[in-house]
Amino acid sequence: MIYLKLRQAGMVVNHKRVDRLYAEAGLQVRRRKRKKIPVSDRHPLERPSAANQVWSMDFVFDRTAEGRVIKSLTVVDDATHEAVAIVPERAIGGMQLTRVLDQLAKTRGLPKAIRTDNGKEFCSRAMLTWAHARSVQLFLIEPGKPNQNAYIESFNGRFRDECLNEHWFTSLRHAQIVIEGWRREYNEERPKKSLGGLTPAAYAKSLTQKSGKLPTDSKALCY
């Protein structure tokens, strides 16, 4: 490119000399290689036998009345299908994501693993450092295969159909109140056929009773 530009400017130069001077000056631009996720980090979708073993996370987008974006972080327990959290904000980066998870740890504890797509927030340095420090495994699905994160995809569909599409949010605060109310209703009042006709909260409680003891990180009795 430099050789062609010099010729364009009317300078008569040898392209080999341009290449040599270019290399000596260290002007080479390193091409950024796309980060490849090792195959060993892929995990099949399996339903855990107890709460707080695997959570699934994703983002769902909507807008308030003035057209500004709402970015909602959705967190689901794969075993109980509980909506662990729905956090609507204008923007959520890697650092804020880890703060949300630390807040959840105070009331519910942390899972052994979290399943996500390859979004920049989930693959950020802040998230990787956080997970390593707390011994939480990160399961990443293959790009373009949302079926590998089917639990959160199914939940997001219901969340959009039954909440986001049914309300016109006048502000972020309005959205936060309505969405939290819907989340509690989903956990406590909505029976699910896949859970034997129980609500997610009741199913979580039944799993605890079957185990014969209440795990310290369970929130089943808080509903």
Side-chain angles (χ1 to χ4, degrees):
M1 179 63 68
I2 292 178
Y3 170 73
L4 293 176
K5 284 187 174 293
L6 291 174
R7 290 291 299 270
Q8 190 179 46
M11 296 181 64
V12 179
V13 293
N14 185 285
H15 73 276
K16 293 182 180 180
R17 183 181 183 188
V18 173
D19 287 344
R20 177 173 56 81
L21 294 174
Y22 181 83
E24 289 178 358
L27 300 178
Q28 298 94 330
V29 178
R30 295 183 180 180
R31 292 186 177 181
R32 296 183 62 181
K33 294 183 178 180
R34 183 176 179 181
K35 182 180 178 181
K36 294 184 178 180
I37 312 265
V39 177
S40 58
D41 286 347
R42 308 296 186 189
H43 294 267
L45 183 64
E46 297 179 354
R47 184 171 176 179
S49 58
N52 272 21
Q53 288 189 346
V54 181
W55 291 354
S56 294
M57 296 196 307
D58 200 4
F59 288 107
V60 180
F61 293 86
D62 198 21
R63 291 182 182 274
T64 47
E66 73 273 25
R68 296 183 63 191
V69 171
I70 299 176
K71 183 177 184 179
S72 295
L73 170 68
T74 55
V75 185
V76 169
D77 189 303
D78 286 7
T80 65
H81 293 190
E82 296 168 279
V84 177
I86 306 177
V87 184
E89 294 289 350
R90 292 299 183 187
I92 300 178
M95 285 298 298
Q96 188 173 359
L97 176 60
T98 61
R99 288 195 291 268
V100 169
L101 292 171
D102 280 335
Q103 286 295 320
L104 290 176
K106 295 178 181 179
T107 57
R108 185 184 176 100
L110 289 174
K112 296 179 181 178
I114 298 176
R115 180 181 286 105
T116 69
D117 60 22
N118 297 273
K120 61 181 181 180
E121 300 89 354
F122 302 131
C123 296
S124 66
R125 181 175 299 179
M127 185 64 183
L128 296 176
T129 302
W130 176 91
H132 177 74
R134 289 156 182 78
S135 300
V136 175
Q137 288 184 278
L138 297 180
F139 295 165
L140 302 178
I141 66 173
E142 295 180 69
K145 294 189 177 182
N147 58 299
Q148 294 182 0
N149 206 2
Y151 294 128
I152 196 72
E153 290 294 333
S154 175
F155 174 80
N156 287 347
R158 296 186 184 280
F159 173 46
R160 181 167 295 284
D161 291 341
E162 300 176 11
C163 183
L164 299 183
N165 291 348
E166 292 296 317
H167 294 89
W168 188 63
F169 303 123
T170 57
S171 65
L172 176 61
R173 182 56 183 161
H174 179 211
Q176 291 170 339
I177 293 172
V178 171
I179 289 172
E180 177 60 18
W182 181 87
R183 185 190 73 86
R184 290 183 176 276
E185 180 183 350
Y186 178 90
N187 284 339
E188 302 170 23
E189 301 178 21
R190 181 194 176 96
K192 298 193 67 177
K193 186 177 180 180
S194 60
L195 301 179
L198 298 176
T199 65
Y203 185 75
K205 187 175 181 178
S206 70
L207 287 182
T208 300
Q209 292 173 343
K210 287 180 181 179
S211 68
K213 61 180 180 179
L214 182 66
T216 56
D217 57 5
S218 173
K219 197 184 177 185
L221 298 182
C222 295
Y223 291 110

